[in-house]
Amino acid sequence: MPGPGRFLTAQWRHLAMLNYAVDPAILTPHLPAGVELDAWRGTTYLSVVGFQFLGTRVLGLPIPFHRNFPEVNLRFYVRRPGRPGEPHVDADGHKRGVVFLKELVPRAAIAWVARTVYGEAYLALPMRHRVALETAEAGRVHGSVAYEWRLADAWHGLDLAIDGVPAPLVPGSEAAFITEHYWGYAAGSGRTLEYRVEHPPWRVWPATEAALHGDLARLYGRELAAALAGPPRSAFLAEGSEIAVHRGLAVN
């Protein structure tokens, strides 16, 4: 996926998305300048997402030993006014995006690049993942995925199971709201950085089971960990695709 302005290309695959309804007041202090919280049918969401980075290239070049790795991120959903002619501006004139509160990867160099180039809250920790999916008749898929990280000599993570046929996203649905945010926003040094992410719409499976386990307060702090306590409001597995992340620009 070459092209001007693209900093990183890769595939994102097997995206396990656990979504929690939260009090907007918890997220307001984390808003970068110039963006506002986005909501689906009046509900504000906080999501934990685990997935695989595959075939990663930076500025078109593969980086040895840094092409394939898992990531787990904690994110919430925002919007910002767009301009005529900009891509991914919705009918009410907004660009919908995400803010990442924490992003985990297994290699320090990846975390350093993301913090330096995009100002994102990346942290390098030992990680492992498992994808155990089987395809049966008529495209039915059964199995589970897991993404885990090691912190303070213990493993913590998320698990998600599916059983069914992947479905295209329904416009206006909760799954479409969670996956169809094509902008990223980060705050740092008194500015807001905006960058665009390209990917086609993904097919999804609703989860039959999904859970977080481990000491979330140690990683995310007590307030955010409390918001993630109990079962998620929704959970699904997204198929994934090739993606491209564009260079960031300061917008505020």
Side-chain angles (χ1 to χ4, degrees), residues 5-251:
R6 295 176 180 180
F7 178 77
L8 179 147
T9 61
Q11 294 184 48
W12 289 349
R13 295 292 181 184
H14 304 122
L15 295 96
M17 299 182 161
L18 282 62
N19 313 302
Y20 296 79
V22 299
D23 182 345
I26 295 173
L27 301 177
T28 299
H30 301 282
L31 282 171
V35 303
E36 61 185 20
L37 288 174
D38 200 2
W40 181 76
R41 297 185 181 177
T43 299
T44 302
Y45 282 91
L46 178 65
S47 297
V48 180
V49 180
F51 63 101
Q52 291 176 273
F53 255 104
L54 301 175
T56 305
R57 290 174 175 263
V58 175
L59 297 175
L61 300 175
I63 308 301
F65 311 111
H66 293 76
R67 298 200 67 197
N68 304 321
F69 54 90
E71 176 178 318
V72 172
N73 63 58
L74 178 66
R75 72 189 206 179
F76 65 95
Y77 304 92
V78 298
R79 64 180 192 169
R80 179 176 180 271
R83 298 187 302 274
E86 283 188 294
H88 300 300
V89 176
D90 63 16
D92 67 3
H94 285 91
K95 296 184 285 190
R96 288 187 149 81
V98 300
V99 173
F100 295 100
L101 295 170
K102 187 79 71 176
E103 296 170 87
L104 307 179
V105 289
R107 297 201 179 263
I110 297 167
W112 181 85
V113 169
R115 289 194 302 265
T116 303
V117 176
Y118 290 100
E120 296 286 14
Y122 268 77
L123 177 64
L125 291 174
M127 296 183 71
R128 64 189 185 188
H129 68 284
R130 183 191 75 251
V131 176
L133 301 173
E134 297 182 358
T135 302
E137 70 284 349
R140 189 179 190 90
V141 179
H142 171 79
S144 63
V145 300
Y147 295 93
E148 295 182 313
W149 59 92
R150 195 175 73 208
L151 182 63
D153 296 323
W155 286 98
H156 320 259
L158 63 93
D159 303 275
L160 183 148
I162 60 168
D163 184 13
V165 177
L169 291 172
V170 176
S173 67
E174 182 191 44
F177 173 82
I178 296 295
T179 62
E180 299 271 279
H181 283 72
Y182 292 99
W183 298 89
Y185 294 95
S189 303
R191 63 175 188 168
T192 295
L193 192 72
E194 176 188 79
Y195 57 92
R196 183 161 62 95
V197 180
E198 282 184 59
H199 65 77
W202 295 323
R203 298 189 301 172
V204 298
W205 294 263
T208 56
E209 297 178 37
L212 288 171
H213 60 86
D215 185 355
L216 300 178
R218 184 182 290 272
L219 181 63
Y220 298 134
R222 292 185 179 277
E223 187 174 48
L224 291 172
L228 299 170
R233 176 161 179 161
S234 69
F236 52 85
L237 183 71
E239 192 172 36
S241 67
E242 292 187 356
I243 64 94
V245 180
H246 288 243
R247 294 177 183 274
L249 295 172
V251 294

